[in-house]
Amino acid sequence: MKYYNIKHFFTLLIFFISATTFAQTELRGKVADFLTYQSIESASVYVENTTIGSITNADGNFVLKVPQQHLQDTLVISSIGYKSFKVVISEFENGSDIFLEEDVASLDEVVIVADPRPTTGNGIVQKAIEKLPKNLPEQPYLQKGFLRHKERNKKEYKWLIESAITLYDSSYASGAKNNLKINVDETRKSYDLRDVDSLFTYSAYLKSIGSKAGNLSRNKIKTSSLVEAIKWNDSRVNGLENLFKGKLNLVRNSNITGALLGKNMLEKQQFDLDTILVDNGRKLYKIKITKGKDFVGLNTPNIYNEGFEPKGWIYIYYDNYAIKKVEYELVAASDVQKKRSKSLFDTQTIHKLIVTYMEYNGKMYPNYIYYETPKLVNTGDRSSDRTKTEAEPGFDKDEQYYYTIQEILFSDIIQDPDLINQELKQNDWSADIFSSKPYNESFWKTYNVLLESKEEEKLIQDLSKRASLYKE
């Protein structure tokens, strides 16, 4: 018989508790339409009455890591316009296909009701904005999330970063500028090919700091200098700070000056009631976003970010007017913006945003964010900061124009004041996704991430082989 001393016994006990605490079951599956067999993208996959969840990728596939203590809880798979699928997690057949059936309510139900309620899209959206103080969090909270930052041209990825982030928000009532923070906690992947493609950005960066660009050659510029230019360029438009604190955080920041869904929103956009859908058994309005009398502008410092018209959809719960999802695009509409967008970006859609929310303890929290925008960079072998024209040798349109996609999947919500204060003190609160961090293998083993589609997987593998910076 083998004997252990007290110290050894407690070491084993702590190990057992830790192993039990962090033991997880990984669920995988594919979600598709019952009639068409088409994959359903962005379907919600989550543990009922918790914030543990994920979404399906472009192929309808998902992966979800569930702690052992939730094995007898219910797995819910839902998508707007479909009946939900529910099963006890321990009984879920891993790797199975889940087919969702359509579930649409009658538009007539909007009119045939006893209670006075708005019956137009404009009225419903206005009511939803009025209800935001009630439907959004009133108390400070933290959220943990996964960020995938992708940058590519039409041929290949040029930069990929995957990070774990923490969001702190004091409440909807407080302004985001001084009361919302983002921190990059861990980095899983960072593949970089942009250091050879950024002369345009570097030239603009030099001008911003008062230096003359002159005739630039990639061979004479340090990579570290280019990285500084890249970070500066990202911070102007689509950095994490701008995404969360600016006007494109449509719902959270509807109370700031000049908000897109603020006081004078009907001057810049109109809302037309389309139909009534169902989401996990609850009715919700589907409302079309169309242009108003005035152009939409973002008033971005040092960038002409004006002259757009909006289009998209907004989904609002019928019972409490809580906003469930927003799909929003800003398309070049003024003559100046059309010319600028064509020459610099080769597209008229300059901002594309999708935000979905999850309900937890009666409040709506951000669940998934997708943001896409073209990038101001110059590509290929250049000796100056100007863009080549189509008539010049070596011009390749597919390489010339870049765009960035940021996807964020939020999971854990922390409301305990002591835990929040502890993290506020400990974190550096830096939203710099380009800062080098060591790869933490044990952290990522238990962290829920967005599953790559087959196309993304192939492109990322190709990028990783050629990248000059590689962590994992």
Side-chain angles (χ1 to χ4, degrees):
M1 182 179 288
K2 199 170 185 178
Y3 293 93
Y4 297 96
N5 59 32
I6 293 295
K7 183 179 179 181
H8 192 197
F9 171 78
F10 278 108
T11 301
L12 288 173
L13 180 62
I14 291 169
F15 174 81
F16 173 77
I17 292 171
S18 299
T20 304
T21 302
F22 294 107
Q24 292 183 323
T25 296
E26 186 174 275
L27 306 181
R28 288 180 176 268
K30 181 175 181 177
V31 183
D33 185 287
F34 178 77
L35 292 177
T36 66
Y37 293 90
Q38 293 294 314
S39 302
I40 299 176
E41 185 178 0
S42 299
S44 297
V45 182
Y46 60 95
V47 181
E48 195 169 42
N49 299 321
T50 75
T51 61
I52 301 167
S54 188
I55 62 169
T56 56
N57 65 14
D59 304 317
N61 294 314
F62 70 87
V63 59
L64 179 65
K65 296 172 183 177
V66 179
Q68 295 292 103
Q69 63 265 33
H70 292 288
L71 290 185
Q72 297 310 310
D73 289 345
T74 300
L75 177 71
V76 180
I77 299 176
S78 66
S79 185
I80 293 174
Y82 291 91
K83 293 179 181 177
S84 296
F85 170 87
K86 296 184 180 183
V87 65
V88 175
I89 292 170
S90 61
E91 298 174 5
F92 177 73
E93 187 179 341
N94 228 347
S96 61
D97 291 345
I98 298 96
F99 296 96
L100 301 185
E101 296 182 62
E102 282 192 20
D103 193 359
V104 181
S106 170
L107 184 59
D108 294 339
E109 295 180 38
V110 180
V111 181
I112 308 172
V113 289
D115 297 331
R117 28 189 320 131
T119 56
T120 67
N122 284 343
I124 294 165
V125 174
Q126 285 178 310
K127 188 80 169 179
I129 300 301
E130 290 172 13
K131 293 276 188 179
L132 285 180
K134 182 178 180 180
N135 287 323
L136 293 184
E138 301 167 304
Q139 303 297 327
Y141 67 93
L142 293 171
Q143 265 189 291
K144 300 293 183 178
F146 173 75
L147 164 72
R148 179 174 289 141
H149 174 106
K150 300 178 289 188
E151 185 167 313
R152 60 169 300 176
N153 57 27
K154 294 178 182 179
K155 280 191 170 182
E156 62 185 1
Y157 277 103
K158 305 301 288 190
W159 187 295
L160 169 76
I161 297 175
E162 294 182 344
S163 299
I165 65 171
T166 296
L167 168 72
Y168 165 77
D169 197 350
S170 60
S171 73
Y172 166 71
S174 60
K177 185 176 180 181
N178 299 314
N179 298 287
L180 187 150
K181 300 173 184 280
I182 307 105
N183 189 63
V184 177
D185 302 325
E186 300 280 350
T187 298
R188 186 170 81 149
K189 295 176 182 176
S190 181
Y191 306 142
D192 178 18
L193 287 179
R194 288 198 307 183
D195 61 345
V196 299
D197 293 334
S198 306
L199 293 183
F200 185 96
T201 297
Y202 186 66
S203 173
Y205 171 67
L206 290 178
K207 291 175 183 175
S208 76
I209 59 176
S211 298
K212 291 184 179 180
N215 203 28
L216 299 176
S217 171
R218 170 64 188 96
N219 296 330
K220 297 178 181 178
I221 306 170
K222 293 180 180 179
T223 297
S224 58
S225 299
L226 285 169
V227 170
E228 281 302 310
I230 289 166
K231 289 165 68 172
W232 165 81
N233 192 39
D234 286 342
S235 68
R236 292 195 296 169
V237 181
N238 67 333
L240 284 180
E241 291 274 357
N242 288 336
L243 182 57
F244 283 101
K245 296 186 178 185
K247 292 180 181 178
L248 286 176
N249 197 350
L250 299 165
V251 177
R252 164 61 178 88
N253 296 338
S254 64
N255 53 4
I256 67 173
T257 303
L260 298 180
L261 294 183
K263 189 181 296 183
N264 300 317
M265 64 180 179
L266 296 183
E267 295 176 6
K268 296 178 179 179
Q269 55 237 321
Q270 291 287 296
F271 304 93
D272 300 320
L273 177 59
D274 182 77
T275 189
I276 298 288
L277 297 175
V278 177
D279 176 59
N280 199 23
R282 293 173 67 184
K283 297 175 189 173
L284 87 177
Y285 298 104
K286 180 183 180 182
I287 296 169
K288 188 175 184 179
I289 303 170
T290 58
K291 64 180 182 179
K293 291 185 295 184
D294 297 337
F295 290 130
V296 174
L298 298 180
N299 195 28
T300 306
N302 304 316
I303 290 180
Y304 182 73
N305 221 342
E306 311 299 312
F308 302 111
E309 65 181 33
K311 69 175 187 176
W313 300 91
I314 184 166
Y315 301 82
I316 298 171
Y317 280 125
Y318 182 87
D319 52 8
N320 64 352
Y321 294 96
I323 296 173
K324 169 64 178 176
K325 183 178 183 180
V326 180
E327 300 171 357
Y328 194 83
E329 293 184 11
L330 289 178
V331 182
S334 69
D335 290 340
V336 174
Q337 187 58 262
K338 282 180 180 179
K339 290 177 183 176
R340 175 182 182 271
S341 299
K342 178 64 179 175
S343 63
L344 291 179
F345 306 124
D346 194 41
T347 179
Q348 298 297 300
T349 301
I350 306 304
H351 301 279
K352 181 179 179 180
L353 180 75
I354 300 172
V355 185
T356 62
Y357 295 85
M358 58 180 164
E359 187 171 17
Y360 183 66
N361 290 342
K363 301 292 181 181
M364 304 300 290
Y365 294 84
N367 175 221
Y368 171 72
I369 297 174
Y370 175 99
Y371 176 50
E372 179 180 327
T373 186
K375 291 283 290 188
L376 273 172
V377 297
N378 202 15
T379 62
D381 186 12
R382 305 282 191 264
S383 59
S384 71
D385 63 332
R386 69 181 180 85
T387 302
K388 280 194 174 184
T389 65
E390 294 189 33
E392 292 182 85
F395 177 86
D396 187 336
K397 199 173 185 179
D398 289 343
E399 289 184 347
Q400 179 72 45
Y401 299 104
Y402 275 56
Y403 62 91
T404 289
I405 293 173
Q406 289 170 297
E407 288 185 280
I408 301 169
L409 174 70
F410 284 111
S411 51
D412 293 348
I413 297 172
I414 299 169
Q415 298 172 319
D416 183 279
D418 292 335
L419 293 176
I420 292 172
N421 288 331
Q422 183 179 342
E423 192 133 8
L424 283 173
K425 292 176 182 176
Q426 288 180 349
N427 275 348
D428 294 332
W429 295 101
S430 169
D432 183 4
I433 62 174
F434 304 103
S435 294
S436 178
K437 295 180 185 294
Y439 176 66
N440 186 344
E441 184 178 3
S442 60
F443 174 89
W444 289 106
K445 280 183 177 179
T446 60
Y447 206 79
N448 275 309
V449 302
L450 289 162
L451 187 65
E452 297 106 340
S453 66
K454 289 180 181 178
E455 181 190 14
E456 286 176 327
E457 202 172 62
K458 182 179 181 300
L459 289 166
I460 290 169
Q461 286 174 357
D462 181 52
L463 173 60
S464 68
K465 292 176 185 175
R466 298 176 293 111
S468 58
L469 184 144
Y470 176 58
K471 297 190 211 63
E472 189 170 47

